[in-house]
Amino acid sequence: MFVEKIKIDNMKLSISSTFDAGNIEVINAENPKNVQLKIRKDTNSDFLQWFYFRVQGAKDQACTLHLTNAGEAAYPDGWENYQARASYDRVNWFQIPTKYVNGVLTMDLTPECDAIYIAYFAPFSYEQHLDLVNNAQQSPLCELETIGQTTQGRPIDFLRIGDGDPSKKKLWVIARQHPGESMAEWFMLGLVDRLLDEEDATSVSLLSKANLYLIPNMNIDGSILGNLRVNAKGINFNREWAEPSIENSPEVYYAKEKMREIGMDFCLDVHGDEALPYVFLSGIEGIPSFDEKLSQLSSRFMTEWKSASPDMQDVHGYPKNEPGKANLMIGSKNIGEEFHCLSQTLEMPFKQNDNIPDGIVGWSAERSIKLGESLVSTVLNIVDDL
Ligand SMILES: [Zn+2]
């Protein structure tokens, strides 16, 4: 018996995004060589940049996809030298080249399977988030607490790692205020897994001196909605820290309440940057109470992190604030001022680390995980002075 697979000509493409973190609008997918798409705006907001969709029915067929409104993105510089991420199994993500011309982002691809997923960066889904916190809670070192509810009624998950001894240092790490920056939660996965590894002498040593307080995803609703920067109400959390509200930004409100209840000696707020192809920190030089101690801690933190991971660098980054000119609505600056402690924003690239580029996957989930792991040794080297 011989069965021949018959190639069906003119098979129509099916493009979908009705899944966790999905984002795309189809204008016209009749012709695989000229597929016209649009990035959907964030919920109740004009921001747009995150996309994540499935193309089905184009196996072995050359396709050209146009994101026609890429020029209206929050950070159009993000498209220069950018490569999209694609996957057949949503586990292994690789780069596909793009061209950005006259406000349109174009990608050419010939899928090897019936369905291919295309995203702005390797997604970190809500199911993966639940796996992260549910796996963590099974360690005797970790407790999972709900500190409030999002505006769409989901629990805001908070992890305590350590023995809770109040005389130890109190270290906070929060991530993904901006939901499209999924590398931030990959970072948290690496950090949490290393902290809970009881065979890791660095983690054991750090936990002998400190407790860690972690919010792995500050913006659950926005993540599920497929937003770049805001929650379901259209609020950018990283401009809410001066006056958070239960109504519009409960994640920030309850995080800040918890920080006041527990106290803080260190905070890292984890993000991704659309434009700069480097890992970097943004500091608190511009807060009113910045002093010699915070200055020295900031430099030591950078020196230690560079030595723990060559992905960290301080040549490229945002311009430093002038003294007293920091925007205290921003999380790390507001926290640094209120708790008078070392408080920094970490930025990872959507593109590459140009210092150590990877042509196949670009900056990736795996690199973000390893950077998260490297925070443990970095902080161990400065914890006594925090
Ligand atoms: Zn951000």
Side-chain angles (χ1 to χ4, degrees):
M1 180 92 180
F2 175 73
V3 181
E4 193 178 358
K5 242 185 168 178
I6 298 169
K7 172 100 178 139
I8 303 164
D9 288 330
N10 301 322
M11 201 157 87
K12 280 223 175 108
L13 296 188
S14 159
I15 295 178
S16 58
S17 62
T18 48
F19 43 77
D20 185 337
N23 180 324
I24 207 66
E25 288 174 10
V26 179
I27 303 168
N28 190 331
E30 294 286 316
N31 177 3
K33 299 248 170 13
N34 182 16
V35 177
Q36 304 275 319
L37 304 168
K38 267 176 84 171
I39 304 173
R40 182 180 49 67
K41 285 181 179 177
D42 283 8
T43 318
N44 292 311
S45 162
D46 284 332
F47 288 122
L48 63 91
Q49 193 131 12
W50 172 264
F51 55 86
Y52 179 22
F53 55 93
R54 186 177 94 154
V55 179
Q56 167 125 28
K59 185 179 180 184
D60 298 331
Q61 184 164 7
C63 299
T64 301
L65 313 182
H66 302 286
L67 300 189
T68 57
N69 63 340
E72 296 162 32
Y75 302 95
D77 288 350
W79 306 129
E80 304 291 345
N81 300 316
Y82 164 75
Q83 300 202 42
R85 306 305 198 274
S87 175
Y88 297 110
D89 56 9
R90 295 187 298 161
V91 176
N92 300 293
W93 292 83
F94 53 91
Q95 295 195 116
I96 45 177
T98 70
K99 286 182 294 242
Y100 180 61
V101 180
N102 296 330
V104 176
L105 189 77
T106 298
M107 41 192 111
D108 295 306
L109 60 149
T110 303
E112 292 172 10
C113 299
D114 293 318
I116 186 168
Y117 290 83
I118 297 172
Y120 185 33
F121 190 82
F124 195 102
S125 71
Y126 188 47
E127 290 297 323
Q128 288 168 300
H129 166 82
L130 295 175
D131 288 346
L132 190 167
V133 297
N134 293 334
N135 288 336
Q137 69 167 348
Q138 295 178 62
S139 161
L141 299 170
C142 180
E143 285 172 27
L144 167 62
E145 186 179 327
T146 296
I147 56 170
Q149 288 203 327
T150 69
T151 60
Q152 292 192 323
R154 296 187 179 92
I156 303 165
D157 290 326
F158 170 62
L159 298 175
R160 299 164 177 266
I161 297 181
D163 60 13
D165 177 349
S167 68
K168 293 183 178 177
K169 300 287 187 196
K170 303 168 178 80
L171 317 181
W172 284 75
V173 186
I174 64 173
R176 221 174 166 186
Q177 291 198 71
H178 296 141
E181 295 161 10
S182 53
M183 60 285 281
E185 200 160 5
W186 288 111
F187 176 98
M188 293 303 273
L189 180 62
L191 172 63
V192 169
D193 281 352
R194 185 167 189 200
L195 285 170
L196 296 179
D197 181 353
E198 295 178 69
E199 306 302 317
D200 188 317
T202 308
S203 299
V204 173
S205 301
L206 182 60
L207 293 178
S208 74
K209 295 164 180 275
N211 284 285
L212 280 101
Y213 303 99
L214 314 176
I215 302 179
N217 187 336
M218 284 285 293
N219 200 333
I220 294 277
D221 292 348
S223 305
I224 295 171
L225 289 164
N227 290 346
L228 177 77
R229 272 179 92 71
V230 303
N231 71 347
K233 296 226 171 175
I235 304 295
N236 174 1
F237 287 165
N238 212 20
R239 299 295 181 273
E240 285 286 291
W241 286 81
E243 283 181 75
S245 79
I246 292 177
E247 193 192 346
N248 289 323
S249 47
E251 292 86 343
V252 179
Y253 182 90
Y254 291 118
K256 216 170 163 185
E257 276 210 328
K258 208 50 150 178
M259 289 168 176
R260 286 174 176 157
E261 179 192 316
I262 291 171
M264 180 186 296
D265 300 299
F266 165 87
C267 187
L268 185 70
D269 180 17
V270 186
H271 288 251
D273 185 85
E274 291 79 0
L276 290 173
Y278 299 100
V279 173
F280 58 97
L281 293 170
S282 172
I284 50 173
E285 303 77 20
I287 66 172
S289 66
F290 192 69
D291 58 14
E292 190 51 34
K293 184 194 172 200
L294 290 179
S295 173
Q296 283 187 9
L297 278 176
S298 301
S299 342
R300 279 197 53 211
F301 184 52
M302 172 53 77
T303 305
E304 294 294 347
W305 208 340
K306 282 197 293 191
S307 129
S309 169
D311 272 325
M312 180 53 76
Q313 58 80 48
D314 56 357
V315 175
H316 307 274
Y318 301 147
K320 287 192 160 102
N321 290 131
E322 296 296 313
K325 296 280 195 242
N327 179 351
L328 295 179
M329 294 189 290
I330 294 174
S332 61
K333 300 176 198 297
N334 185 281
I335 289 166
E337 180 63 16
E338 173 156 349
F339 295 92
H340 196 63
C341 66
L342 177 61
S343 174
Q344 305 268 296
T345 302
L346 168 68
E347 299 282 353
M348 287 172 279
F350 278 87
K351 296 173 179 173
Q352 275 290 5
N353 173 1
D354 273 3
N355 289 337
I356 314 170
D358 181 317
I360 307 293
V361 296
W363 186 258
S364 61
E366 291 73 18
R367 281 286 269 280
S368 309
I369 287 171
K370 291 197 187 306
L371 191 67
E373 293 168 353
S374 74
L375 179 65
V376 179
S377 34
T378 304
V379 175
L380 176 61
N381 288 339
I382 59 167
V383 66
D384 290 335
D385 299 320
L386 289 171

